[in-house]
Amino acid sequence: MPNAQPAVLALEDGSVYRGLAFGAAASIAGECVFNTSMTGYQEILTDPSYFGQIVTMTAVQIGNYGINATDTEAAAPKASGFVVRELSPVVSNWRSHQSLGDYLRQHGIPGISEVDTRAITKKLRVTGAMKCCLSTLPLSDAEAIARARGWRDMAGSDYVKDVTCHEPYLWASDDPARHNQPYLPVGTSMHATGAPAKKFRVAAFDYGAKFSIYRKLVQHGFEVQVFPATATHEQVREHHPDGVFLSNGPGDPAALPYIHRTVTALLPDFPVFGICLGHQMITHALGGTTFKLKFGHRGGNQPVKNLETGKVSITAQNHGFATDPASLEKSGAVVTEVNLNDGTVEGLRHRELPVFCVQYHPEAAPGPNDADPLFTDFYRLIERRKAGTI
């Protein structure tokens, strides 16, 4: 590419990768992780769960279909930096309005291309996720390594406070800017069904929620009242919700005791559905613990088996921590789903309370609709609770 500037990616173990800069002129430190999705770089960049992380894409060419305003999962990208093998020199898609490089430049996020992403991914798989520094400014190898080593660890960090909303608000189902109707190519239905006529009010905690989660809730018959992560159980009760939803989010789930207390207080009184970080909040609220995975699960090709039905789903995931099943033995929780790659916990339900959760992202739909029924399950759980059958 003409006028390309050099860039550097340095890992805390002293590894240095030199390539070409794109996006913003900046230096940033964070946790280096990899994502195995073939598509969806725009959704990955704008997923608040990536806050504090520098993402390496394993797909070879990135940026070929550009950026559009409809598919973003937050108002601005949340990942700290982006690492790709090749940045597509051409943007070709009828929905695109901006190139990936211009988008990152607009939001102050640096990127590096023309590096060996296979080598980076293998190193992270063998050694584990590492602290790193990505710079598109003049920076020596020694300086870049020092900045990588000086970054704070992901473990023990509360990043939810950096991505949650500041005040409660209603996710309006009739707001055209919310894009609440599912995108369907002309002439297809993708098995889409209309929302139920009867609506239930759900209190949705924003721990770093993706917009698609609220859209899915609307499409499945919910009126969505969003609450910041710091909201108390008393504030939630004032809105008289029919159910409670716990969203995804970044950082260490063990570092959020204020959320653990709130969820613990709500579990006995409401049907509760949690995903990703929300799943981990239910784990802690029930008295369980979580631990950091070696390199995490990040991608749209994660196989998950339901132990109660035998069904295997292909799921989208983005998390670096997991539930310790041994810690839940006396909690009343039942492990319902496991990851077929490493056997880690992917789903829970409570034996007595109307509470269930999954570690993956059902709204991301890589299957494309494998996990969609979970939203219907939540609706029916509230129906049964209001009918007095549970």
Side-chain angles (χ1 to χ4, degrees):
M1 289 182 291
N3 303 319
Q5 300 296 314
V8 62
L9 174 71
L11 305 181
E12 64 176 295
D13 70 347
S15 303
V16 176
Y17 302 86
R18 289 278 174 181
L20 299 181
F22 68 98
S27 297
I28 190 75
E31 182 180 50
C32 191
V33 299
F34 64 89
N35 187 295
T36 57
S37 297
M38 297 295 290
T39 62
Y41 56 81
Q42 175 173 315
E43 290 87 343
I44 290 165
L45 284 166
T46 55
D47 180 351
S49 294
Y50 279 111
F51 188 87
Q53 294 176 325
I54 294 171
V55 183
T56 300
M57 297 298 295
T58 61
V60 176
Q61 188 183 70
I62 300 296
N64 55 315
Y65 55 84
I67 298 288
N68 72 80
T70 305
D71 291 343
T72 55
E73 296 291 355
K78 300 300 182 181
S80 296
F82 211 35
V83 183
V84 304
R85 176 68 184 90
E86 179 184 350
L87 179 67
S88 177
V90 176
V91 174
S92 180
N93 188 281
W94 66 273
R95 299 175 74 220
S96 173
H97 72 274
Q98 192 176 26
S99 72
L100 173 59
D102 288 344
Y103 179 68
L104 294 183
R105 188 178 305 111
Q106 174 187 342
H107 292 283
I109 296 174
I112 183 172
S113 66
E114 302 301 322
V115 292
D116 190 344
T117 52
R118 289 189 302 177
I120 296 169
T121 299
K122 184 175 180 179
K123 180 177 286 290
L124 297 178
R125 281 184 59 86
V126 172
T127 307
M130 283 190 275
K131 295 186 286 186
C132 70
C133 171
L134 193 165
S135 179
T136 55
L137 298 172
L139 201 66
S140 71
D141 291 359
E143 289 175 309
I145 294 170
R147 292 195 184 189
R149 291 173 176 169
W151 185 73
R152 58 179 174 170
D153 288 325
M154 180 65 68
S157 298
D158 176 2
Y159 287 137
V160 170
K161 66 180 185 301
D162 295 300
V163 296
T164 188
C165 61
H166 298 295
E167 300 290 339
Y169 68 94
L170 180 68
W171 181 273
S173 60
D174 58 352
D175 184 351
R178 297 296 192 190
H179 307 291
N180 287 319
Q181 295 304 312
Y183 171 74
L184 299 173
V186 175
T188 69
S189 67
M190 297 288 285
H191 305 291
T193 57
K198 185 177 182 179
K199 307 294 183 185
F200 291 130
R201 301 182 67 192
V202 62
F205 275 92
D206 175 16
Y207 303 144
K210 297 162 64 178
F211 289 165
S212 290
I213 293 169
Y214 301 144
R215 292 168 185 151
K216 282 286 187 180
L217 288 168
V218 167
Q219 292 162 17
H220 284 81
F222 296 101
E223 178 186 289
V224 182
Q225 178 69 42
V226 182
F227 288 87
T230 54
T232 65
H233 72 94
E234 292 93 349
Q235 290 173 305
V236 171
R237 292 176 194 276
E238 289 175 0
H239 285 264
H240 305 290
D242 299 311
V244 174
F245 178 83
L246 311 177
S247 83
N248 65 293
D252 184 351
L256 306 167
Y258 59 98
I259 299 178
H260 304 167
R261 290 191 293 270
T262 299
V263 176
T264 300
L266 292 171
L267 287 183
D269 299 323
F270 298 95
V272 180
F273 175 29
I275 69 168
C276 201
L277 186 66
H279 161 87
Q280 296 160 356
M281 293 301 95
I282 289 175
T283 295
H284 281 277
L286 292 175
T289 58
T290 51
F291 64 96
K292 196 173 193 302
L293 294 166
K294 186 175 182 179
F295 49 81
H297 301 156
R298 297 177 181 87
N301 48 7
Q302 297 283 332
V304 169
K305 182 176 182 178
N306 188 304
L307 300 177
E308 298 179 318
T309 66
K311 178 184 176 182
V312 175
S313 298
I314 301 302
T315 68
Q317 302 194 16
N318 171 19
H319 64 102
F321 294 81
T323 292
D324 178 3
S327 70
L328 292 171
E329 290 179 356
K330 298 180 181 179
S331 68
V334 177
V335 175
T336 56
E337 299 180 74
V338 296
N339 189 295
L340 288 181
N341 288 333
D342 60 13
T344 53
V345 176
E346 293 282 0
L348 299 171
R349 67 173 175 82
H350 197 275
R351 289 188 179 93
E352 299 174 0
L353 301 174
V355 174
F356 74 107
C357 53
V358 295
Q359 182 61 79
Y360 48 89
H361 283 249
E363 86 294 337
N369 294 311
D370 290 24
D372 213 46
L374 289 170
F375 293 96
T376 302
D377 292 344
F378 186 38
Y379 184 92
R380 290 174 179 167
L381 195 65
I382 295 176
E383 268 190 326
R384 292 172 59 200
R385 182 61 176 260
K386 294 182 76 66
T389 59
I390 55 172

